[in-house]
Amino acid sequence: MRFFGIKKSNYKKNKELSALIKTGEMICGQALGAVGKMRYGICPMSFNGCEVIAVYNALAYLGRPQPLCEVAAYMERFRMLCGFFGCNARYLGKALGHFGAECTRTKSYEGAEAFIITFWTGFPFFSSLHTVFCVRTRKGIKVYNSCNTCPDVRIYSTLSDYTGRHRPVAVYIIREQNNGI
């Protein structure tokens, strides 16, 4: 595939596939269905789309749903190594803000009701990063898109039950936007 024109080519393909995804419905299992066939950078979203899906899920949670193809198209500007390494997690806040969501980048998710977290899945720099959208409930922490092939939201007593001992690389606390009402 040519490096020039990837964004335009991806958008065209993703727009067709987005018609198969109900906008606003939370996404789990990035390798499943039409989502796994969508493209981000030079790879299928099943390989590197977790950041895009986390932003999409946060927007859906806030009642600001956007088509997945639009979120992916905007986030193409933050891809790392033509998207082979997904999206630069330090710019997720810019993507959320672009679509009207308020968030704060922090080092801890403690006390947050809804948040996005990026963490190493193994030894830092020798494993992959994974990014998920989470919501704290009375039953535990709901993790959306916990892994490629899990079609359901998973609930964990604590986030470390999911991430292990891996410290977060980036945490964004998601807030309802206060419109002065």
mmCIF file of all heavy atoms in Angstrom, residues 6-37:
data_model
loop_
_atom_site.group_PDB
_atom_site.id
_atom_site.type_symbol
_atom_site.label_atom_id
_atom_site.label_comp_id
_atom_site.label_asym_id
_atom_site.label_seq_id
_atom_site.Cartn_x
_atom_site.Cartn_y
_atom_site.Cartn_z
ATOM 1 N N ILE A 6 -2.866 7.236 2.437
ATOM 2 C CA ILE A 6 -3.392 6.227 3.359
ATOM 3 C C ILE A 6 -4.629 6.757 4.074
ATOM 4 O O ILE A 6 -5.636 6.061 4.175
ATOM 5 C CB ILE A 6 -2.331 5.794 4.386
ATOM 6 C CG1 ILE A 6 -1.252 4.958 3.719
ATOM 7 C CG2 ILE A 6 -2.957 5.002 5.517
ATOM 8 C CD1 ILE A 6 -0.117 4.589 4.644
ATOM 9 N N LYS A 7 -4.545 7.981 4.568
ATOM 10 C CA LYS A 7 -5.665 8.553 5.327
ATOM 11 C C LYS A 7 -6.936 8.572 4.478
ATOM 12 O O LYS A 7 -8.002 8.168 4.933
ATOM 13 C CB LYS A 7 -5.305 9.954 5.808
ATOM 14 C CG LYS A 7 -6.366 10.596 6.641
ATOM 15 C CD LYS A 7 -5.939 11.963 7.140
ATOM 16 C CE LYS A 7 -7.061 12.608 7.909
ATOM 17 N NZ LYS A 7 -6.697 13.917 8.432
ATOM 18 N N LYS A 8 -6.815 9.033 3.234
ATOM 19 C CA LYS A 8 -7.972 9.116 2.335
ATOM 20 C C LYS A 8 -8.508 7.722 2.004
ATOM 21 O O LYS A 8 -9.718 7.487 2.017
ATOM 22 C CB LYS A 8 -7.563 9.858 1.060
ATOM 23 C CG LYS A 8 -8.693 10.170 0.136
ATOM 24 C CD LYS A 8 -8.195 11.005 -1.039
ATOM 25 C CE LYS A 8 -9.328 11.334 -1.974
ATOM 26 N NZ LYS A 8 -8.876 12.139 -3.110
ATOM 27 N N SER A 9 -7.605 6.802 1.717
ATOM 28 C CA SER A 9 -7.996 5.429 1.404
ATOM 29 C C SER A 9 -8.667 4.764 2.602
ATOM 30 O O SER A 9 -9.694 4.087 2.461
ATOM 31 C CB SER A 9 -6.756 4.634 0.977
ATOM 32 O OG SER A 9 -7.059 3.280 0.838
ATOM 33 N N ASN A 10 -8.098 4.952 3.785
ATOM 34 C CA ASN A 10 -8.684 4.384 5.003
ATOM 35 C C ASN A 10 -10.075 4.949 5.254
ATOM 36 O O ASN A 10 -10.997 4.213 5.615
ATOM 37 C CB ASN A 10 -7.797 4.661 6.214
ATOM 38 C CG ASN A 10 -6.566 3.797 6.254
ATOM 39 O OD1 ASN A 10 -6.397 2.879 5.450
ATOM 40 N ND2 ASN A 10 -5.677 4.086 7.178
ATOM 41 N N TYR A 11 -10.220 6.254 5.068
ATOM 42 C CA TYR A 11 -11.516 6.875 5.326
ATOM 43 C C TYR A 11 -12.590 6.301 4.403
ATOM 44 O O TYR A 11 -13.702 5.993 4.845
ATOM 45 C CB TYR A 11 -11.437 8.395 5.171
ATOM 46 C CG TYR A 11 -12.751 9.070 5.494
ATOM 47 C CD1 TYR A 11 -13.182 9.179 6.812
ATOM 48 C CD2 TYR A 11 -13.563 9.565 4.487
ATOM 49 C CE1 TYR A 11 -14.392 9.784 7.115
ATOM 50 C CE2 TYR A 11 -14.769 10.167 4.785
ATOM 51 C CZ TYR A 11 -15.181 10.275 6.091
ATOM 52 O OH TYR A 11 -16.388 10.858 6.396
ATOM 53 N N LYS A 12 -12.247 6.126 3.147
ATOM 54 C CA LYS A 12 -13.214 5.580 2.180
ATOM 55 C C LYS A 12 -13.649 4.174 2.598
ATOM 56 O O LYS A 12 -14.845 3.868 2.648
ATOM 57 C CB LYS A 12 -12.597 5.553 0.784
ATOM 58 C CG LYS A 12 -13.531 5.057 -0.283
ATOM 59 C CD LYS A 12 -12.874 5.059 -1.645
ATOM 60 C CE LYS A 12 -13.832 4.477 -2.675
ATOM 61 N NZ LYS A 12 -13.193 4.277 -3.967
ATOM 62 N N LYS A 13 -12.681 3.318 2.919
ATOM 63 C CA LYS A 13 -12.999 1.946 3.336
ATOM 64 C C LYS A 13 -13.769 1.947 4.662
ATOM 65 O O LYS A 13 -14.761 1.236 4.819
ATOM 66 C CB LYS A 13 -11.722 1.126 3.470
ATOM 67 C CG LYS A 13 -11.976 -0.287 3.946
ATOM 68 C CD LYS A 13 -10.705 -1.094 4.031
ATOM 69 C CE LYS A 13 -11.015 -2.464 4.569
ATOM 70 N NZ LYS A 13 -10.863 -3.509 3.613
ATOM 71 N N ASN A 14 -13.304 2.760 5.626
ATOM 72 C CA ASN A 14 -13.931 2.795 6.943
ATOM 73 C C ASN A 14 -15.352 3.341 6.900
ATOM 74 O O ASN A 14 -16.209 2.898 7.660
ATOM 75 C CB ASN A 14 -13.077 3.610 7.914
ATOM 76 C CG ASN A 14 -11.763 2.939 8.247
ATOM 77 O OD1 ASN A 14 -11.541 1.775 7.921
ATOM 78 N ND2 ASN A 14 -10.872 3.674 8.874
ATOM 79 N N LYS A 15 -15.596 4.279 6.004
ATOM 80 C CA LYS A 15 -16.952 4.845 5.885
ATOM 81 C C LYS A 15 -17.933 3.758 5.426
ATOM 82 O O LYS A 15 -19.047 3.670 5.939
ATOM 83 C CB LYS A 15 -16.948 6.029 4.929
ATOM 84 C CG LYS A 15 -18.254 6.794 4.941
ATOM 85 C CD LYS A 15 -18.091 8.133 4.272
ATOM 86 C CE LYS A 15 -19.391 8.867 4.202
ATOM 87 N NZ LYS A 15 -19.651 9.720 5.325
ATOM 88 N N GLU A 16 -17.509 2.933 4.490
ATOM 89 C CA GLU A 16 -18.363 1.826 4.026
ATOM 90 C C GLU A 16 -18.644 0.852 5.165
ATOM 91 O O GLU A 16 -19.775 0.427 5.364
ATOM 92 C CB GLU A 16 -17.686 1.088 2.875
ATOM 93 C CG GLU A 16 -17.587 1.879 1.596
ATOM 94 C CD GLU A 16 -16.728 1.194 0.540
ATOM 95 O OE1 GLU A 16 -16.366 0.007 0.725
ATOM 96 O OE2 GLU A 16 -16.402 1.843 -0.469
ATOM 97 N N LEU A 17 -17.601 0.502 5.917
ATOM 98 C CA LEU A 17 -17.759 -0.457 7.009
ATOM 99 C C LEU A 17 -18.519 0.134 8.192
ATOM 100 O O LEU A 17 -19.192 -0.592 8.925
ATOM 101 C CB LEU A 17 -16.396 -0.976 7.457
ATOM 102 C CG LEU A 17 -15.700 -1.898 6.459
ATOM 103 C CD1 LEU A 17 -14.244 -2.121 6.837
ATOM 104 C CD2 LEU A 17 -16.444 -3.229 6.347
ATOM 105 N N SER A 18 -18.423 1.448 8.386
ATOM 106 C CA SER A 18 -19.126 2.107 9.494
ATOM 107 C C SER A 18 -20.638 1.958 9.371
ATOM 108 O O SER A 18 -21.346 2.012 10.375
ATOM 109 C CB SER A 18 -18.769 3.588 9.571
ATOM 110 O OG SER A 18 -17.642 3.777 10.359
ATOM 111 N N ALA A 19 -21.122 1.785 8.154
ATOM 112 C CA ALA A 19 -22.558 1.601 7.950
ATOM 113 C C ALA A 19 -23.049 0.328 8.645
ATOM 114 O O ALA A 19 -24.235 0.204 8.951
ATOM 115 C CB ALA A 19 -22.882 1.549 6.462
ATOM 116 N N LEU A 20 -22.130 -0.600 8.921
ATOM 117 C CA LEU A 20 -22.483 -1.856 9.577
ATOM 118 C C LEU A 20 -22.422 -1.764 11.103
ATOM 119 O O LEU A 20 -22.744 -2.728 11.796
ATOM 120 C CB LEU A 20 -21.546 -2.974 9.102
ATOM 121 C CG LEU A 20 -21.509 -3.203 7.592
ATOM 122 C CD1 LEU A 20 -20.433 -4.213 7.241
ATOM 123 C CD2 LEU A 20 -22.871 -3.654 7.090
ATOM 124 N N ILE A 21 -21.981 -0.616 11.621
ATOM 125 C CA ILE A 21 -21.821 -0.426 13.057
ATOM 126 C C ILE A 21 -22.824 0.626 13.514
ATOM 127 O O ILE A 21 -22.862 1.722 12.967
ATOM 128 C CB ILE A 21 -20.384 0.050 13.389
ATOM 129 C CG1 ILE A 21 -19.365 -0.969 12.896
ATOM 130 C CG2 ILE A 21 -20.227 0.309 14.876
ATOM 131 C CD1 ILE A 21 -17.947 -0.434 12.860
ATOM 132 N N LYS A 22 -23.604 0.300 14.512
ATOM 133 C CA LYS A 22 -24.587 1.253 15.020
ATOM 134 C C LYS A 22 -23.858 2.314 15.847
ATOM 135 O O LYS A 22 -23.290 2.023 16.895
ATOM 136 C CB LYS A 22 -25.637 0.542 15.878
ATOM 137 C CG LYS A 22 -26.740 1.446 16.327
ATOM 138 C CD LYS A 22 -27.796 0.688 17.103
ATOM 139 C CE LYS A 22 -28.852 1.663 17.588
ATOM 140 N NZ LYS A 22 -29.819 1.005 18.454
ATOM 141 N N THR A 23 -23.863 3.552 15.354
ATOM 142 C CA THR A 23 -23.183 4.651 16.036
ATOM 143 C C THR A 23 -23.759 4.833 17.428
ATOM 144 O O THR A 23 -24.967 4.892 17.603
ATOM 145 C CB THR A 23 -23.310 5.959 15.226
ATOM 146 O OG1 THR A 23 -22.697 5.759 13.949
ATOM 147 C CG2 THR A 23 -22.646 7.124 15.934
ATOM 148 N N GLY A 24 -22.873 4.894 18.413
ATOM 149 C CA GLY A 24 -23.283 5.084 19.794
ATOM 150 C C GLY A 24 -23.332 3.798 20.587
ATOM 151 O O GLY A 24 -23.411 3.828 21.808
ATOM 152 N N GLU A 25 -23.260 2.676 19.913
ATOM 153 C CA GLU A 25 -23.233 1.386 20.593
ATOM 154 C C GLU A 25 -21.785 1.101 20.995
ATOM 155 O O GLU A 25 -20.870 1.227 20.177
ATOM 156 C CB GLU A 25 -23.748 0.300 19.638
ATOM 157 C CG GLU A 25 -24.223 -0.938 20.327
ATOM 158 C CD GLU A 25 -24.964 -1.832 19.336
ATOM 159 O OE1 GLU A 25 -26.180 -1.658 19.197
ATOM 160 O OE2 GLU A 25 -24.300 -2.681 18.715
ATOM 161 N N MET A 26 -21.578 0.741 22.259
ATOM 162 C CA MET A 26 -20.216 0.492 22.749
ATOM 163 C C MET A 26 -19.579 -0.655 21.964
ATOM 164 O O MET A 26 -20.251 -1.618 21.596
ATOM 165 C CB MET A 26 -20.236 0.166 24.232
ATOM 166 C CG MET A 26 -20.841 1.266 25.079
ATOM 167 S SD MET A 26 -19.945 2.812 24.987
ATOM 168 C CE MET A 26 -19.018 2.751 26.472
ATOM 169 N N ILE A 27 -18.268 -0.532 21.735
ATOM 170 C CA ILE A 27 -17.523 -1.534 20.975
ATOM 171 C C ILE A 27 -16.633 -2.326 21.917
ATOM 172 O O ILE A 27 -15.887 -1.761 22.706
ATOM 173 C CB ILE A 27 -16.676 -0.877 19.873
ATOM 174 C CG1 ILE A 27 -17.581 -0.218 18.835
ATOM 175 C CG2 ILE A 27 -15.739 -1.894 19.229
ATOM 176 C CD1 ILE A 27 -16.834 0.575 17.782
ATOM 177 N N CYS A 28 -16.732 -3.622 21.818
ATOM 178 C CA CYS A 28 -15.836 -4.552 22.506
ATOM 179 C C CYS A 28 -15.359 -5.558 21.465
ATOM 180 O O CYS A 28 -16.097 -5.903 20.547
ATOM 181 C CB CYS A 28 -16.555 -5.294 23.631
ATOM 182 S SG CYS A 28 -17.017 -4.248 25.021
ATOM 183 N N GLY A 29 -14.131 -6.025 21.602
ATOM 184 C CA GLY A 29 -13.611 -7.005 20.653
ATOM 185 C C GLY A 29 -13.200 -6.367 19.346
ATOM 186 O O GLY A 29 -13.883 -6.531 18.338
ATOM 187 N N GLN A 30 -12.085 -5.669 19.352
ATOM 188 C CA GLN A 30 -11.695 -4.896 18.170
ATOM 189 C C GLN A 30 -11.376 -5.749 16.953
ATOM 190 O O GLN A 30 -11.305 -5.225 15.850
ATOM 191 C CB GLN A 30 -10.521 -3.971 18.503
ATOM 192 C CG GLN A 30 -9.197 -4.658 18.716
ATOM 193 C CD GLN A 30 -8.148 -3.707 19.244
ATOM 194 O OE1 GLN A 30 -8.296 -3.150 20.325
ATOM 195 N NE2 GLN A 30 -7.095 -3.516 18.488
ATOM 196 N N ALA A 31 -11.222 -7.056 17.115
ATOM 197 C CA ALA A 31 -10.953 -7.914 15.959
ATOM 198 C C ALA A 31 -12.228 -8.534 15.404
ATOM 199 O O ALA A 31 -12.169 -9.296 14.438
ATOM 200 C CB ALA A 31 -9.965 -9.020 16.352
ATOM 201 N N LEU A 32 -13.348 -8.204 15.983
ATOM 202 C CA LEU A 32 -14.603 -8.836 15.596
ATOM 203 C C LEU A 32 -15.400 -7.974 14.620
ATOM 204 O O LEU A 32 -15.411 -6.747 14.723
ATOM 205 C CB LEU A 32 -15.452 -9.107 16.842
ATOM 206 C CG LEU A 32 -14.771 -9.955 17.917
ATOM 207 C CD1 LEU A 32 -15.649 -10.057 19.148
ATOM 208 C CD2 LEU A 32 -14.410 -11.329 17.386
ATOM 209 N N GLY A 33 -16.067 -8.616 13.690
ATOM 210 C CA GLY A 33 -16.990 -7.941 12.787
ATOM 211 C C GLY A 33 -16.354 -6.874 11.923
ATOM 212 O O GLY A 33 -15.166 -6.922 11.589
ATOM 213 N N ALA A 34 -17.163 -5.872 11.592
ATOM 214 C CA ALA A 34 -16.723 -4.799 10.697
ATOM 215 C C ALA A 34 -15.598 -3.973 11.306
ATOM 216 O O ALA A 34 -14.725 -3.481 10.591
ATOM 217 C CB ALA A 34 -17.904 -3.891 10.362
ATOM 218 N N VAL A 35 -15.571 -3.835 12.640
ATOM 219 C CA VAL A 35 -14.533 -3.042 13.301
ATOM 220 C C VAL A 35 -13.147 -3.610 12.990
ATOM 221 O O VAL A 35 -12.217 -2.874 12.666
ATOM 222 C CB VAL A 35 -14.747 -2.989 14.832
ATOM 223 C CG1 VAL A 35 -13.596 -2.281 15.526
ATOM 224 C CG2 VAL A 35 -16.066 -2.313 15.154
ATOM 225 N N GLY A 36 -13.003 -4.910 13.062
ATOM 226 C CA GLY A 36 -11.716 -5.547 12.810
ATOM 227 C C GLY A 36 -11.212 -5.381 11.389
ATOM 228 O O GLY A 36 -10.011 -5.467 11.132
ATOM 229 N N LYS A 37 -12.125 -5.100 10.459
ATOM 230 C CA LYS A 37 -11.744 -4.919 9.051
ATOM 231 C C LYS A 37 -11.421 -3.467 8.713
ATOM 232 O O LYS A 37 -10.871 -3.183 7.662
ATOM 233 C CB LYS A 37 -12.871 -5.420 8.153
ATOM 234 C CG LYS A 37 -13.103 -6.907 8.271
ATOM 235 C CD LYS A 37 -14.275 -7.347 7.431
ATOM 236 C CE LYS A 37 -14.490 -8.817 7.607
ATOM 237 N NZ LYS A 37 -15.833 -9.163 7.985
#
